[in-house]
Every structure is written in structure tokens, then in C-alpha cells.
Amino acid sequence: MANRSIHQMGLPRSIANIFAARNINTAKSEFVMSPIEWDSLFWVLFPGSEALSLTEFELMELLDVGLSDVASAVAHISEIASPPYQTALSLMEQRLQNEHLAGHLSTCLKGLDEALFGGIPFGVLTELVGPAGIGKTQFCLKLSFLAALPPSYGGLDGRVIYIDVESKFSSRRMIEIGMRSFPDVFNKKDMAKEMAGRILVLRPASLSEFTESLHRIKVSLLEQEVKLVIIDSMAALITGEYELGAPKQHSLGWHISFIKSIAEFARIPVVVTNQVRSRNRKEVSHYSFQGRSRSESQEYSSGYDSHLVAALGVHWAHSVTIRLVLEVKSGQRFIKLAKSPMSPPLAFPFTITPSGVSLLSNNGEELSGAEINEIHCQGHSDIIINHLGKHQ
């Protein structure tokens, strides 16, 4: 609206002529005035929250017109140049409509799907972060299978690109998860072979090879009818880029932007796993409202797993829309919805079964404060030995 001609704004002819006499043709027209006069008139004409900051008497002096003409002109320009008001109800309806059009990939974990309003959302980055052996790859394997399923079983009936950085992808384990979760599907002839054939696995050995893989992905998204992209894991690509436990300012900026563009361009879910690292003592909570008192900090620092945080740093954390943290507290696994624009932080107890990740309760426990971003690892070694030996 700023470049629109003053004569096209429907102002009374007398006011429009005053602007024309001063050679003001648009809201961005250049003309000679004193700094004070220019600053005042600019904010009147240019759309923004400052348009009504001047009093009517100041505008009368500036434009040399009567009070009624000033009030009418300002009201008219504001109505045309300013964005219309929207109610909270209309915004909610628009969001629900957008979410419906965007879609979700169900995780088949009822409580988590309900918290995410349907599952892993399309068009954004979803991150899985947790210590080694906690179940991140198990989660990804199940998502891969679900995306390849026919729509009648809740799947997306498409191909999956799985970037397997750490060579943890197991087709045998994925088939086992599928057979245990959907025995009816696998009773059909050659169905297991067909499902496995829809998973395209890439194994880049370096960051440069990963960059090449990303370019190949964007070309094949539409050709291959890809419905899900998984990167397992992002942090493994930059091993050695850390100093004193904190990430250096490495060149991941381009990769982050490119991965986000893949999700937005194809309107598909993109899931990326991330590792944990030791927190530097000088580091504090990301947000002041998640801080602790001194007594709480001293008690916390003496804990068993008080120094674990997500790798890749704050820049990466702000790039993901959904963050799921997998952790262990007192020998019990939890999947924590730590970041989501549609749900409060929640924690769900889970276990690893032959059918993959399974929730022990669909009722998530609400979290607050520093607990949201903390990553616990109490009793994790015992769980790996007892439950994960043959799976990861």
C-alpha cells in the first residue's frame, strides 16, 4: 500500500490536491522538508503502528488544513494502509484449516498423536534428540514403515528417503516392526517386499557427501513421490566440530535452510535425529523463565545426569518446529514433547517392544521450567543391556 498513489486512496479532492501541490504522489515520495516535518508526515502516510502517534493539532499545523479534514484523512489512510483486525476465533479457524490441508503422519502412539493434533506435521522440521541407544532409530524405523503403508492403514502410500549417517538402519528390524504392528498387511503376498522397496537409504560418509545427497533429494522429491525424509543423525555429520562440550560456529546454516526448504517445498514431514552433549559449566538455560535458584542449581549440579543438553546449539534449536526428547529417569524411558506450537510440554512413559516404540500411558505429564529442556539419563546403561541388545 505504501507505493499506491495518493489519488487512488479515495481521499477528498481538497486533501488530495494539497498532497499534489507538495509533489507527494505516494507514501514513499521524496520531497524537501525539514527533518521534523518529514519524520512526522512519513509515519502518517507509511503504513505501520506509528501512523496515529501524532496529535490532530500537530497534523493540522503540518498539513495546514482544518481539524475535521485531518481526522477524516488519517482515518481513511489508516483503514486502507493498515492490515485489518482479526479475531482470535478467525485465527484459530485459519490455523485449523491450514493444518487440515498440510496433514500429519500418525506415529500410532495415541497420546503423542493427540498432543500433536494428528502426528508429525507436514512442511516443518521435527527433531528427535536423546542419548545413544534410547530409541531414536527405533522411532525412525517405525515412521518409515508408516509412511510407506497404504492410506487405508493410516499411511501415506509413498516413498521414504532415509539418510543413514551412522549406518544404523536395519531393514530386518523395520520389517519386524511392521509385521508385529500390522500383521494383516504382511499376510498379503509380497507386501513386506513392497514396503521395504519403498525405503530409499542413503549413507553419506562426510558433510560434503551429505550436501550432495540434499541436492539429489530435492530433485527426486516429486519424481519418486517421496512422502517422508529422515536424517539419522544430523549431529554425527559434524563430529569433531565441538570444543569444550559446546558447538563451534560451523557452517550448518546453509544445510538448516536447505532442509527446511525441502519440508516446505514438498509439504512433507522431515524428521531429524540429534545427539546429546555435555553442557559447559558456563552455559545457562536458554530462557530466563527456565532458570533455577542457586540452591536448586547446586542440588541439580550434583545429580547423576545434570550436564546433558541437545547438540548442535541454539541456532539449530530455533530451526526445528517440533522437538521430541527421549530420555531415561530412574530406569524408565520417557518421550518428551519439549517444543511444539500446538501443545504444552508433555512427557509420556514408553518402552521398546517387538512392534517398536510403545507408550505405557496416553496421558502426558505436563512439564514446566528447566525440566522442559533437561535431558536425563539415569539408569540408561541398564536399559540398553536388558532391552536393546538385539535391536540397536
Side-chain angles (χ1 to χ4, degrees), residues 94-168:
Q94 289 178 22
R95 181 168 185 171
L96 291 175
Q97 179 65 19
N98 291 337
E99 289 176 356
H100 174 72
L101 294 175
H104 297 80
L105 170 60
S106 172
T107 65
C108 285
L109 304 174
K110 182 180 178 181
L112 184 59
D113 281 348
E114 289 178 353
L116 292 173
F117 288 82
I120 307 298
F122 291 5
V124 299
L125 297 187
T126 296
E127 177 194 39
L128 300 176
V129 58
I134 191 66
K136 301 187 298 294
T137 298
Q138 300 277 332
F139 197 103
C140 290
L141 290 176
K142 190 163 188 175
L143 287 180
S144 299
F145 173 79
L146 292 171
L149 277 177
S152 57
Y153 289 92
L156 302 180
D157 196 27
R159 293 181 180 272
V160 177
I161 294 181
Y162 197 115
I163 301 182
D164 184 25
V165 178
E166 298 182 285
S167 299
K168 290 184 177 181

Side-chain angles (χ1 to χ4, degrees), residues 127 129 235 242 247 274-277 309-313 316-317 323 375:
E127 177 194 39
V129 58
Y242 296 99
N274 189 8
Q275 299 172 353
V276 296
R277 63 176 177 83
V309 294
L312 299 182
W316 168 259
R323 168 172 278 185
I375 302 177

Side-chain angles (χ1 to χ4, degrees), residues 176-194:
E176 179 187 14
I177 291 174
M179 293 181 64
R180 297 280 187 163
S181 303
F182 298 91
D184 293 344
V185 176
F186 281 85
N187 284 336
K188 297 180 181 180
K189 184 178 180 181
D190 296 330
M191 183 57 74
K193 184 177 180 180
E194 180 180 346

Side-chain angles (χ1 to χ4, degrees), residues 332-368:
Q332 174 61 62
R333 299 174 193 263
F334 288 90
I335 182 168
K336 186 163 60 180
L337 179 54
K339 180 183 179 183
S340 168
M342 61 196 75
S343 172
L346 299 171
F348 300 88
F350 79 96
T351 187
I352 303 292
T353 69
S355 61
V357 174
S358 299
L359 296 185
L360 299 177
S361 172
N362 290 315
N363 299 318
E365 176 186 353
E366 289 198 22
L367 305 172
S368 62

Side-chain angles (χ1 to χ4, degrees), residues 15 55-57 59-60 63 65-75:
I15 299 296
T55 67
E56 292 177 338
F57 294 103
L59 292 174
M60 288 172 59
L63 300 177
V65 295
L67 176 60
S68 60
D69 290 332
V70 166
S72 177
V74 169

